[in-house]
Amino acid sequence: MTALDTQRSRTYADDRAHVFHSWSAQGALDPLVVAGAEGSWFWDENGHRYLDFSSQLVNVNIGHQHPKLVAAIQEQAAKLCTIAPFHANEARSEAARLITELAPGDLDMVFFTNGGAEATENAVRMARLATGRHKVLTTYRSYHGATNGAIALTGEPRRWASEPAMPGVVHFWGPYPYRSAFHAASDAEECQRALAHLDDTLVVEGPGTVAAVLLESVVGTNGILVPPDGYLAGVREICDRHGIVFIADEVMSGFGRCGEWFAVDRWQVTPDLICFAKGVNSGYLPLGGVIISRRIADHFKDRPYPGGLTYSGHVLACASAVASIKIFKEEGVIEHARRLGEEVIGPELAKLKERHPSIGDVRGLGVFWAIELVRDRATREMLVPYNASGAAAKPMNDLAAACKARGLWPFTHFNRVHVVPPLTTSADEVRHGLAILDEALTVADQHAAG
Ligand SMILES: Cc1ncc(COP(=O)(O)O)c(C=O)c1O
């Protein structure tokens, strides 16, 4: 064994002995030891390279180890690493200005957090205090983070083990044309019925008790559910009618993922609060936040905001956000993301759907796409049951393994593969990844009716 081999096995052994991983039965884990990354690729300790079709957790929007972003962090580290949240600081001020310049309407203040969950927690706190109301409406098939409030807001199985969590959360159905909760036959019908359902939910909950409606502008992990045209505008109108705060969770959908700075831009809708994290600085350092409308910010002009974090507006993290936003602008990252979606991913996925009987639906925008796998296109029976684990999840696990064996790191969730590489991935790299997926999908086809 060489010294290098000893170090490698030491890393793995220390991980297994001492690192407690998220969302996992610790005994069942066999983590890849990642040695390095560049652009849209990362590699393990043995030099096996993977094209990153997951952007890790759909956060490395700018790609791995962008030299200008690394340099900006190094420069800031040499100048000033950290300062208490009550001081002002150049990097924090500039990050807040740049982010609010990008945000729609009168959203012109930022409360910085360390990530997405703290953003949704604080957005809800702001909405409750600003309205004097208590309830929060969020959709089934959503994820909003794993802290006590954020997991309560979440509309999927990751919430179950934490119940009862924060009281006052009511879940309702959002639009999902492929599996419509409203038996809708078209996008327009889905939009109209989903809005009527939200109206009905408010009638029975009492609109005067509802502080906020919180939505992922485009639902991420739970299926890349792109709302039909008119839905977000309709939610905006319903919130206005009842004095309810509209919170857009753009933790995954924001910062270019949907080919826009914020997904709401596509429909020209202005929420009252936008939660962000992930793509704001591609996770080079932990950072998130809430972009706050003037009206809600003013609520806390003469009364203190009862919330805070030691690392709110962390200097290094803010410097990385500043650098990242500048790189996006200089390199046309948003435009590239939009083109990748329209010219490469969308058309290529449509071709895959023609070839593979296991593909029931493909959908998405920008660099945010889902392939939904079924056993039967006619009945739309899912390739694996909802929330499957163990043997029941085997077809999906086999598909993921087939991708990895060919050098592609996929993002899978339930019966779906999401195509979510860094926004900076080249068209050729995307085509290379999709060609691997094409081969690997034969594994799923074995379970599908012809
Ligand atoms: C839409 C959405 N909101 C919130 C979160 C939570 O973010 P974090 O993991 O940074 O707390 C996530 C994470 O995946 C997310 O996708």
Side-chain angles (χ1 to χ4, degrees):
M1 233 188 188
T2 66
L4 188 58
D5 287 335
T6 311
Q7 177 53 41
R8 284 169 179 162
S9 44
R10 180 74 197 258
T11 301
Y12 186 86
D14 282 350
D15 180 283
R16 300 312 305 116
H18 304 297
V19 178
F20 195 95
H21 287 260
S22 305
W23 303 118
S24 305
Q26 304 301 311
L29 290 172
D30 181 22
L32 188 79
V33 180
V34 175
E38 193 183 352
S40 299
W41 298 81
F42 64 97
W43 49 90
D44 70 11
E45 52 177 355
N46 300 312
H48 293 130
R49 286 167 59 82
Y50 298 93
L51 179 58
D52 189 352
F53 254 35
S54 66
S55 300
Q56 298 304 297
L57 283 179
V58 201
N59 64 322
V60 189
N61 288 11
I62 207 164
H64 295 276
Q65 298 298 110
H66 193 295
K68 285 190 192 160
L69 191 41
V70 172
I73 294 167
Q74 287 169 333
E75 235 168 73
Q76 183 63 51
K79 220 188 314 179
L80 180 71
C81 286
T82 190
I83 203 76
F86 45 78
H87 294 302
N89 168 263
E90 189 187 349
R92 185 186 295 152
S93 298
E94 192 176 5
R97 179 173 55 75
L98 290 176
I99 290 167
T100 55
E101 281 171 6
L102 299 172
D106 70 340
L107 277 72
D108 66 359
M109 294 202 88
V110 180
F111 178 69
F112 285 110
T113 65
N114 297 293
E118 289 174 352
T120 56
E121 292 266 352
N122 279 285
V124 164
R125 178 185 280 145
M126 287 174 194
R128 284 178 165 170
L129 291 166
T131 58
R133 302 173 183 174
H134 172 65
K135 280 182 204 161
V136 183
L137 266 56
T138 74
T139 57
Y140 289 113
R141 305 189 199 274
S142 68
Y143 181 70
H144 297 292
T147 51
N148 188 55
I151 203 71
L153 300 165
T154 289
E156 50 110 315
R158 280 181 281 184
R159 187 189 69 245
W160 300 348
S162 296
E163 289 174 323
M166 178 178 72
V169 182
V170 175
H171 288 102
F172 66 102
W173 293 104
Y176 181 6
Y178 185 65
R179 296 186 189 279
S180 172
F182 314 109
H183 309 285
S186 68
D187 279 11
E189 205 167 67
E190 181 76 357
C191 178
Q192 182 254 322
R193 292 182 184 183
L195 289 171
H197 165 67
L198 175 55
D199 263 333
D200 288 348
T201 307
L202 281 166
V203 169
V204 289
E205 287 297 335
T209 69
V210 177
V213 172
L214 165 66
L215 295 176
E216 289 181 72
S217 310
V218 174
V219 173
T221 304
N222 281 273
I224 321 273
L225 308 180
V226 183
D229 290 346
Y231 181 71
L232 293 179
V235 172
R236 173 73 276 179
E237 190 276 316
I238 290 171
C239 287
D240 285 344
R241 203 175 338 128
H242 299 294
I244 294 169
V245 173
F246 180 7
I247 308 173
D249 182 346
E250 296 248 359
V251 167
M252 195 176 271
S253 62
F255 284 94
R257 183 54 63 186
C258 295
E260 308 281 347
W261 283 103
F262 297 102
V264 288
D265 298 342
R266 186 178 166 99
W267 295 278
Q268 278 116 43
V269 170
T270 304
D272 300 298
L273 300 169
I274 293 180
C275 301
F276 67 92
K278 295 191 187 265
V280 64
N281 65 347
S282 291
Y284 282 37
L285 287 147
L287 185 67
V290 186
I291 321 176
I292 312 165
S293 65
R294 182 42 53 198
R295 185 174 65 82
I296 293 180
D298 281 349
H299 183 80
F300 302 103
K301 199 160 173 228
D302 300 316
R303 53 169 85 74
Y305 175 62
L309 301 156
T310 299
Y311 301 131
S312 176
H314 191 277
V315 178
L316 268 188
C318 284
S320 69
V322 169
S324 179
I325 291 168
K326 289 183 177 166
I327 295 165
F328 265 50
K329 290 178 180 172
E330 285 161 18
E331 298 185 3
V333 172
I334 302 280
E335 295 73 17
H336 180 69
R338 200 177 303 154
R339 274 200 308 275
L340 274 184
E342 286 169 3
E343 294 169 17
V344 184
I345 307 177
E348 292 295 329
L349 290 187
K351 285 187 215 157
L352 286 189
K353 187 179 167 190
E354 279 170 23
R355 274 205 292 283
H356 294 281
S358 59
I359 298 183
D361 191 33
V362 297
R363 54 180 177 263
L365 74 178
V367 191
F368 206 31
W369 291 80
I371 303 173
E372 176 147 0
L373 299 169
V374 293
R375 284 180 183 266
D376 185 328
R377 277 183 173 171
T379 63
R380 302 188 180 183
E381 183 193 349
M382 295 164 71
L383 181 70
V384 298
Y386 185 80
N387 200 31
S389 62
K394 191 170 180 304
M396 287 303 292
N397 294 339
D398 289 349
L399 171 59
C403 291
K404 290 175 190 173
R406 292 167 171 79
L408 181 78
W409 197 270
F411 182 106
T412 58
H413 182 261
F414 295 177
N415 66 323
R416 284 170 271 107
V417 180
H418 291 187
V419 176
V420 283
L423 314 184
T424 48
T425 309
S426 72
D428 282 348
E429 286 170 324
V430 168
R431 287 200 182 91
H432 173 71
L434 291 174
I436 294 176
L437 253 180
D438 189 11
E439 280 178 35
L441 278 165
T442 53
V443 170
D445 290 341
Q446 288 162 18
H447 304 277

PDB file of all heavy atoms in Angstrom, residues 120-148:
ATOM      1  N   THR A 120     -36.699  29.816   4.550  1.00  0.00           N
ATOM      2  CA  THR A 120     -38.156  29.610   4.616  1.00  0.00           C
ATOM      3  C   THR A 120     -38.665  29.848   6.042  1.00  0.00           C
ATOM      4  O   THR A 120     -39.731  30.419   6.233  1.00  0.00           O
ATOM      5  CB  THR A 120     -38.570  28.208   4.107  1.00  0.00           C
ATOM      6  OG1 THR A 120     -37.869  27.209   4.840  1.00  0.00           O
ATOM      7  CG2 THR A 120     -38.252  28.047   2.640  1.00  0.00           C
ATOM      8  N   GLU A 121     -37.891  29.431   7.044  1.00  0.00           N
ATOM      9  CA  GLU A 121     -38.272  29.690   8.450  1.00  0.00           C
ATOM     10  C   GLU A 121     -38.470  31.185   8.678  1.00  0.00           C
ATOM     11  O   GLU A 121     -39.460  31.612   9.273  1.00  0.00           O
ATOM     12  CB  GLU A 121     -37.161  29.250   9.405  1.00  0.00           C
ATOM     13  CG  GLU A 121     -36.917  27.769   9.500  1.00  0.00           C
ATOM     14  CD  GLU A 121     -37.684  27.121  10.645  1.00  0.00           C
ATOM     15  OE1 GLU A 121     -38.287  27.830  11.473  1.00  0.00           O
ATOM     16  OE2 GLU A 121     -37.679  25.878  10.685  1.00  0.00           O
ATOM     17  N   ASN A 122     -37.514  31.976   8.221  1.00  0.00           N
ATOM     18  CA  ASN A 122     -37.577  33.410   8.492  1.00  0.00           C
ATOM     19  C   ASN A 122     -38.629  34.104   7.646  1.00  0.00           C
ATOM     20  O   ASN A 122     -39.263  35.060   8.106  1.00  0.00           O
ATOM     21  CB  ASN A 122     -36.200  34.052   8.322  1.00  0.00           C
ATOM     22  CG  ASN A 122     -35.346  33.848   9.564  1.00  0.00           C
ATOM     23  OD1 ASN A 122     -35.562  34.503  10.584  1.00  0.00           O
ATOM     24  ND2 ASN A 122     -34.419  32.908   9.519  1.00  0.00           N
ATOM     25  N   ALA A 123     -38.844  33.631   6.425  1.00  0.00           N
ATOM     26  CA  ALA A 123     -39.900  34.220   5.590  1.00  0.00           C
ATOM     27  C   ALA A 123     -41.258  34.038   6.264  1.00  0.00           C
ATOM     28  O   ALA A 123     -42.076  34.960   6.315  1.00  0.00           O
ATOM     29  CB  ALA A 123     -39.891  33.584   4.202  1.00  0.00           C
ATOM     30  N   VAL A 124     -41.489  32.847   6.796  1.00  0.00           N
ATOM     31  CA  VAL A 124     -42.761  32.580   7.472  1.00  0.00           C
ATOM     32  C   VAL A 124     -42.884  33.439   8.731  1.00  0.00           C
ATOM     33  O   VAL A 124     -43.940  34.015   9.018  1.00  0.00           O
ATOM     34  CB  VAL A 124     -42.890  31.070   7.784  1.00  0.00           C
ATOM     35  CG1 VAL A 124     -43.979  30.808   8.807  1.00  0.00           C
ATOM     36  CG2 VAL A 124     -43.166  30.308   6.491  1.00  0.00           C
ATOM     37  N   ARG A 125     -41.803  33.564   9.461  1.00  0.00           N
ATOM     38  CA  ARG A 125     -41.834  34.422  10.667  1.00  0.00           C
ATOM     39  C   ARG A 125     -42.195  35.865  10.288  1.00  0.00           C
ATOM     40  O   ARG A 125     -43.030  36.503  10.935  1.00  0.00           O
ATOM     41  CB  ARG A 125     -40.470  34.370  11.361  1.00  0.00           C
ATOM     42  CG  ARG A 125     -40.386  35.260  12.591  1.00  0.00           C
ATOM     43  CD  ARG A 125     -38.978  35.251  13.165  1.00  0.00           C
ATOM     44  NE  ARG A 125     -38.734  34.079  13.974  1.00  0.00           N
ATOM     45  CZ  ARG A 125     -37.551  33.440  14.050  1.00  0.00           C
ATOM     46  NH1 ARG A 125     -36.524  33.862  13.332  1.00  0.00           N
ATOM     47  NH2 ARG A 125     -37.406  32.401  14.826  1.00  0.00           N
ATOM     48  N   MET A 126     -41.579  36.361   9.227  1.00  0.00           N
ATOM     49  CA  MET A 126     -41.873  37.736   8.771  1.00  0.00           C
ATOM     50  C   MET A 126     -43.338  37.870   8.379  1.00  0.00           C
ATOM     51  O   MET A 126     -43.997  38.852   8.733  1.00  0.00           O
ATOM     52  CB  MET A 126     -40.993  38.086   7.559  1.00  0.00           C
ATOM     53  CG  MET A 126     -39.548  38.325   7.903  1.00  0.00           C
ATOM     54  SD  MET A 126     -38.581  38.541   6.377  1.00  0.00           S
ATOM     55  CE  MET A 126     -36.928  38.386   7.053  1.00  0.00           C
ATOM     56  N   ALA A 127     -43.845  36.892   7.625  1.00  0.00           N
ATOM     57  CA  ALA A 127     -45.232  36.964   7.157  1.00  0.00           C
ATOM     58  C   ALA A 127     -46.199  36.941   8.339  1.00  0.00           C
ATOM     59  O   ALA A 127     -47.185  37.682   8.367  1.00  0.00           O
ATOM     60  CB  ALA A 127     -45.523  35.801   6.208  1.00  0.00           C
ATOM     61  N   ARG A 128     -45.919  36.102   9.305  1.00  0.00           N
ATOM     62  CA  ARG A 128     -46.808  36.015  10.471  1.00  0.00           C
ATOM     63  C   ARG A 128     -46.821  37.331  11.238  1.00  0.00           C
ATOM     64  O   ARG A 128     -47.877  37.822  11.646  1.00  0.00           O
ATOM     65  CB  ARG A 128     -46.362  34.867  11.379  1.00  0.00           C
ATOM     66  CG  ARG A 128     -46.743  33.514  10.822  1.00  0.00           C
ATOM     67  CD  ARG A 128     -46.259  32.377  11.691  1.00  0.00           C
ATOM     68  NE  ARG A 128     -46.938  31.135  11.319  1.00  0.00           N
ATOM     69  CZ  ARG A 128     -46.604  29.939  11.753  1.00  0.00           C
ATOM     70  NH1 ARG A 128     -45.578  29.797  12.587  1.00  0.00           N
ATOM     71  NH2 ARG A 128     -47.288  28.879  11.380  1.00  0.00           N
ATOM     72  N   LEU A 129     -45.647  37.899  11.424  1.00  0.00           N
ATOM     73  CA  LEU A 129     -45.574  39.141  12.197  1.00  0.00           C
ATOM     74  C   LEU A 129     -46.184  40.309  11.418  1.00  0.00           C
ATOM     75  O   LEU A 129     -46.858  41.167  11.991  1.00  0.00           O
ATOM     76  CB  LEU A 129     -44.116  39.439  12.564  1.00  0.00           C
ATOM     77  CG  LEU A 129     -43.535  38.449  13.584  1.00  0.00           C
ATOM     78  CD1 LEU A 129     -42.026  38.578  13.643  1.00  0.00           C
ATOM     79  CD2 LEU A 129     -44.154  38.654  14.956  1.00  0.00           C
ATOM     80  N   ALA A 130     -45.959  40.326  10.111  1.00  0.00           N
ATOM     81  CA  ALA A 130     -46.466  41.449   9.306  1.00  0.00           C
ATOM     82  C   ALA A 130     -47.984  41.415   9.190  1.00  0.00           C
ATOM     83  O   ALA A 130     -48.628  42.461   9.085  1.00  0.00           O
ATOM     84  CB  ALA A 130     -45.828  41.425   7.919  1.00  0.00           C
ATOM     85  N   THR A 131     -48.578  40.198   9.193  1.00  0.00           N
ATOM     86  CA  THR A 131     -50.036  40.100   9.028  1.00  0.00           C
ATOM     87  C   THR A 131     -50.760  39.964  10.369  1.00  0.00           C
ATOM     88  O   THR A 131     -51.973  40.167  10.428  1.00  0.00           O
ATOM     89  CB  THR A 131     -50.417  38.858   8.186  1.00  0.00           C
ATOM     90  OG1 THR A 131     -49.887  37.690   8.847  1.00  0.00           O
ATOM     91  CG2 THR A 131     -49.865  38.953   6.771  1.00  0.00           C
ATOM     92  N   GLY A 132     -50.044  39.553  11.406  1.00  0.00           N
ATOM     93  CA  GLY A 132     -50.712  39.245  12.671  1.00  0.00           C
ATOM     94  C   GLY A 132     -51.546  37.970  12.573  1.00  0.00           C
ATOM     95  O   GLY A 132     -52.403  37.707  13.407  1.00  0.00           O
ATOM     96  N   ARG A 133     -51.318  37.181  11.526  1.00  0.00           N
ATOM     97  CA  ARG A 133     -52.053  35.928  11.340  1.00  0.00           C
ATOM     98  C   ARG A 133     -51.102  34.747  11.545  1.00  0.00           C
ATOM     99  O   ARG A 133     -49.896  34.926  11.604  1.00  0.00           O
ATOM    100  CB  ARG A 133     -52.660  35.872   9.940  1.00  0.00           C
ATOM    101  CG  ARG A 133     -53.607  37.031   9.635  1.00  0.00           C
ATOM    102  CD  ARG A 133     -53.994  36.960   8.169  1.00  0.00           C
ATOM    103  NE  ARG A 133     -54.844  38.062   7.747  1.00  0.00           N
ATOM    104  CZ  ARG A 133     -55.208  38.258   6.485  1.00  0.00           C
ATOM    105  NH1 ARG A 133     -54.783  37.423   5.534  1.00  0.00           N
ATOM    106  NH2 ARG A 133     -55.984  39.262   6.163  1.00  0.00           N
ATOM    107  N   HIS A 134     -51.687  33.548  11.511  1.00  0.00           N
ATOM    108  CA  HIS A 134     -50.950  32.408  11.998  1.00  0.00           C
ATOM    109  C   HIS A 134     -50.693  31.309  10.947  1.00  0.00           C
ATOM    110  O   HIS A 134     -49.617  30.743  10.865  1.00  0.00           O
ATOM    111  CB  HIS A 134     -51.743  31.847  13.184  1.00  0.00           C
ATOM    112  CG  HIS A 134     -51.248  30.572  13.712  1.00  0.00           C
ATOM    113  ND1 HIS A 134     -50.017  30.455  14.307  1.00  0.00           N
ATOM    114  CD2 HIS A 134     -51.794  29.336  13.731  1.00  0.00           C
ATOM    115  CE1 HIS A 134     -49.842  29.202  14.669  1.00  0.00           C
ATOM    116  NE2 HIS A 134     -50.884  28.514  14.335  1.00  0.00           N
ATOM    117  N   LYS A 135     -51.712  31.025  10.137  1.00  0.00           N
ATOM    118  CA  LYS A 135     -51.601  29.837   9.269  1.00  0.00           C
ATOM    119  C   LYS A 135     -50.737  30.096   8.036  1.00  0.00           C
ATOM    120  O   LYS A 135     -50.655  31.214   7.533  1.00  0.00           O
ATOM    121  CB  LYS A 135     -52.987  29.403   8.783  1.00  0.00           C
ATOM    122  CG  LYS A 135     -53.755  28.602   9.819  1.00  0.00           C
ATOM    123  CD  LYS A 135     -55.086  28.156   9.253  1.00  0.00           C
ATOM    124  CE  LYS A 135     -56.065  27.909  10.381  1.00  0.00           C
ATOM    125  NZ  LYS A 135     -57.460  27.917   9.932  1.00  0.00           N
ATOM    126  N   VAL A 136     -50.151  29.002   7.562  1.00  0.00           N
ATOM    127  CA  VAL A 136     -49.365  29.058   6.324  1.00  0.00           C
ATOM    128  C   VAL A 136     -49.843  27.929   5.417  1.00  0.00           C
ATOM    129  O   VAL A 136     -49.922  26.773   5.851  1.00  0.00           O
ATOM    130  CB  VAL A 136     -47.853  28.892   6.607  1.00  0.00           C
ATOM    131  CG1 VAL A 136     -47.055  29.034   5.322  1.00  0.00           C
ATOM    132  CG2 VAL A 136     -47.383  29.913   7.627  1.00  0.00           C
ATOM    133  N   LEU A 137     -50.159  28.263   4.182  1.00  0.00           N
ATOM    134  CA  LEU A 137     -50.574  27.252   3.205  1.00  0.00           C
ATOM    135  C   LEU A 137     -49.392  26.910   2.300  1.00  0.00           C
ATOM    136  O   LEU A 137     -48.767  27.813   1.720  1.00  0.00           O
ATOM    137  CB  LEU A 137     -51.734  27.792   2.342  1.00  0.00           C
ATOM    138  CG  LEU A 137     -53.152  27.449   2.816  1.00  0.00           C
ATOM    139  CD1 LEU A 137     -53.391  27.905   4.236  1.00  0.00           C
ATOM    140  CD2 LEU A 137     -54.188  28.052   1.885  1.00  0.00           C
ATOM    141  N   THR A 138     -49.107  25.625   2.195  1.00  0.00           N
ATOM    142  CA  THR A 138     -48.050  25.168   1.277  1.00  0.00           C
ATOM    143  C   THR A 138     -48.568  23.934   0.536  1.00  0.00           C
ATOM    144  O   THR A 138     -49.545  23.326   0.966  1.00  0.00           O
ATOM    145  CB  THR A 138     -46.742  24.786   2.002  1.00  0.00           C
ATOM    146  OG1 THR A 138     -46.926  23.536   2.678  1.00  0.00           O
ATOM    147  CG2 THR A 138     -46.326  25.830   3.017  1.00  0.00           C
ATOM    148  N   THR A 139     -47.908  23.564  -0.543  1.00  0.00           N
ATOM    149  CA  THR A 139     -48.446  22.465  -1.362  1.00  0.00           C
ATOM    150  C   THR A 139     -47.899  21.104  -0.925  1.00  0.00           C
ATOM    151  O   THR A 139     -46.787  20.994  -0.409  1.00  0.00           O
ATOM    152  CB  THR A 139     -48.088  22.645  -2.852  1.00  0.00           C
ATOM    153  OG1 THR A 139     -46.685  22.736  -2.976  1.00  0.00           O
ATOM    154  CG2 THR A 139     -48.760  23.852  -3.441  1.00  0.00           C
ATOM    155  N   TYR A 140     -48.725  20.085  -1.187  1.00  0.00           N
ATOM    156  CA  TYR A 140     -48.186  18.726  -1.209  1.00  0.00           C
ATOM    157  C   TYR A 140     -47.171  18.664  -2.347  1.00  0.00           C
ATOM    158  O   TYR A 140     -47.208  19.462  -3.264  1.00  0.00           O
ATOM    159  CB  TYR A 140     -49.311  17.711  -1.466  1.00  0.00           C
ATOM    160  CG  TYR A 140     -50.244  17.570  -0.286  1.00  0.00           C
ATOM    161  CD1 TYR A 140     -51.564  17.988  -0.369  1.00  0.00           C
ATOM    162  CD2 TYR A 140     -49.795  17.028   0.919  1.00  0.00           C
ATOM    163  CE1 TYR A 140     -52.422  17.866   0.716  1.00  0.00           C
ATOM    164  CE2 TYR A 140     -50.638  16.909   2.009  1.00  0.00           C
ATOM    165  CZ  TYR A 140     -51.951  17.328   1.903  1.00  0.00           C
ATOM    166  OH  TYR A 140     -52.778  17.210   2.974  1.00  0.00           O
ATOM    167  N   ARG A 141     -46.281  17.684  -2.282  1.00  0.00           N
ATOM    168  CA  ARG A 141     -45.195  17.565  -3.266  1.00  0.00           C
ATOM    169  C   ARG A 141     -44.315  18.813  -3.235  1.00  0.00           C
ATOM    170  O   ARG A 141     -44.109  19.469  -4.262  1.00  0.00           O
ATOM    171  CB  ARG A 141     -45.732  17.353  -4.689  1.00  0.00           C
ATOM    172  CG  ARG A 141     -46.681  16.176  -4.856  1.00  0.00           C
ATOM    173  CD  ARG A 141     -46.947  15.947  -6.340  1.00  0.00           C
ATOM    174  NE  ARG A 141     -48.143  15.178  -6.580  1.00  0.00           N
ATOM    175  CZ  ARG A 141     -48.212  13.843  -6.598  1.00  0.00           C
ATOM    176  NH1 ARG A 141     -47.146  13.119  -6.358  1.00  0.00           N
ATOM    177  NH2 ARG A 141     -49.344  13.233  -6.850  1.00  0.00           N
ATOM    178  N   SER A 142     -43.846  19.177  -2.040  1.00  0.00           N
ATOM    179  CA  SER A 142     -42.914  20.306  -1.957  1.00  0.00           C
ATOM    180  C   SER A 142     -41.857  19.989  -0.913  1.00  0.00           C
ATOM    181  O   SER A 142     -42.079  19.148  -0.031  1.00  0.00           O
ATOM    182  CB  SER A 142     -43.654  21.583  -1.535  1.00  0.00           C
ATOM    183  OG  SER A 142     -44.101  21.475  -0.186  1.00  0.00           O
ATOM    184  N   TYR A 143     -40.713  20.660  -1.026  1.00  0.00           N
ATOM    185  CA  TYR A 143     -39.674  20.559   0.010  1.00  0.00           C
ATOM    186  C   TYR A 143     -39.220  21.960   0.356  1.00  0.00           C
ATOM    187  O   TYR A 143     -38.937  22.771  -0.538  1.00  0.00           O
ATOM    188  CB  TYR A 143     -38.483  19.713  -0.478  1.00  0.00           C
ATOM    189  CG  TYR A 143     -37.430  19.578   0.595  1.00  0.00           C
ATOM    190  CD1 TYR A 143     -37.675  18.809   1.734  1.00  0.00           C
ATOM    191  CD2 TYR A 143     -36.212  20.244   0.508  1.00  0.00           C
ATOM    192  CE1 TYR A 143     -36.733  18.707   2.747  1.00  0.00           C
ATOM    193  CE2 TYR A 143     -35.259  20.143   1.517  1.00  0.00           C
ATOM    194  CZ  TYR A 143     -35.538  19.371   2.631  1.00  0.00           C
ATOM    195  OH  TYR A 143     -34.602  19.271   3.640  1.00  0.00           O
ATOM    196  N   HIS A 144     -39.172  22.255   1.662  1.00  0.00           N
ATOM    197  CA  HIS A 144     -38.794  23.609   2.082  1.00  0.00           C
ATOM    198  C   HIS A 144     -37.678  23.619   3.122  1.00  0.00           C
ATOM    199  O   HIS A 144     -37.383  24.677   3.679  1.00  0.00           O
ATOM    200  CB  HIS A 144     -40.029  24.345   2.614  1.00  0.00           C
ATOM    201  CG  HIS A 144     -41.092  24.542   1.574  1.00  0.00           C
ATOM    202  ND1 HIS A 144     -40.915  25.377   0.488  1.00  0.00           N
ATOM    203  CD2 HIS A 144     -42.321  23.987   1.419  1.00  0.00           C
ATOM    204  CE1 HIS A 144     -42.001  25.338  -0.272  1.00  0.00           C
ATOM    205  NE2 HIS A 144     -42.860  24.499   0.259  1.00  0.00           N
ATOM    206  N   GLY A 145     -37.056  22.458   3.404  1.00  0.00           N
ATOM    207  CA  GLY A 145     -35.941  22.432   4.351  1.00  0.00           C
ATOM    208  C   GLY A 145     -36.235  21.502   5.513  1.00  0.00           C
ATOM    209  O   GLY A 145     -37.336  20.969   5.645  1.00  0.00           O
ATOM    210  N   ALA A 146     -35.236  21.314   6.376  1.00  0.00           N
ATOM    211  CA  ALA A 146     -35.328  20.244   7.379  1.00  0.00           C
ATOM    212  C   ALA A 146     -35.293  20.736   8.824  1.00  0.00           C
ATOM    213  O   ALA A 146     -35.231  19.920   9.735  1.00  0.00           O
ATOM    214  CB  ALA A 146     -34.229  19.219   7.144  1.00  0.00           C
ATOM    215  N   THR A 147     -35.310  22.040   9.068  1.00  0.00           N
ATOM    216  CA  THR A 147     -35.439  22.507  10.454  1.00  0.00           C
ATOM    217  C   THR A 147     -36.916  22.420  10.854  1.00  0.00           C
ATOM    218  O   THR A 147     -37.776  22.159  10.016  1.00  0.00           O
ATOM    219  CB  THR A 147     -34.901  23.940  10.586  1.00  0.00           C
ATOM    220  OG1 THR A 147     -35.510  24.750   9.580  1.00  0.00           O
ATOM    221  CG2 THR A 147     -33.393  23.976  10.423  1.00  0.00           C
ATOM    222  N   ASN A 148     -37.208  22.663  12.128  1.00  0.00           N
ATOM    223  CA  ASN A 148     -38.542  22.328  12.632  1.00  0.00           C
ATOM    224  C   ASN A 148     -39.665  22.989  11.836  1.00  0.00           C
ATOM    225  O   ASN A 148     -40.637  22.326  11.473  1.00  0.00           O
ATOM    226  CB  ASN A 148     -38.653  22.728  14.109  1.00  0.00           C
ATOM    227  CG  ASN A 148     -39.939  22.233  14.729  1.00  0.00           C
ATOM    228  OD1 ASN A 148     -40.223  21.041  14.687  1.00  0.00           O
ATOM    229  ND2 ASN A 148     -40.734  23.141  15.265  1.00  0.00           N
TER     230      ASN A 148
END
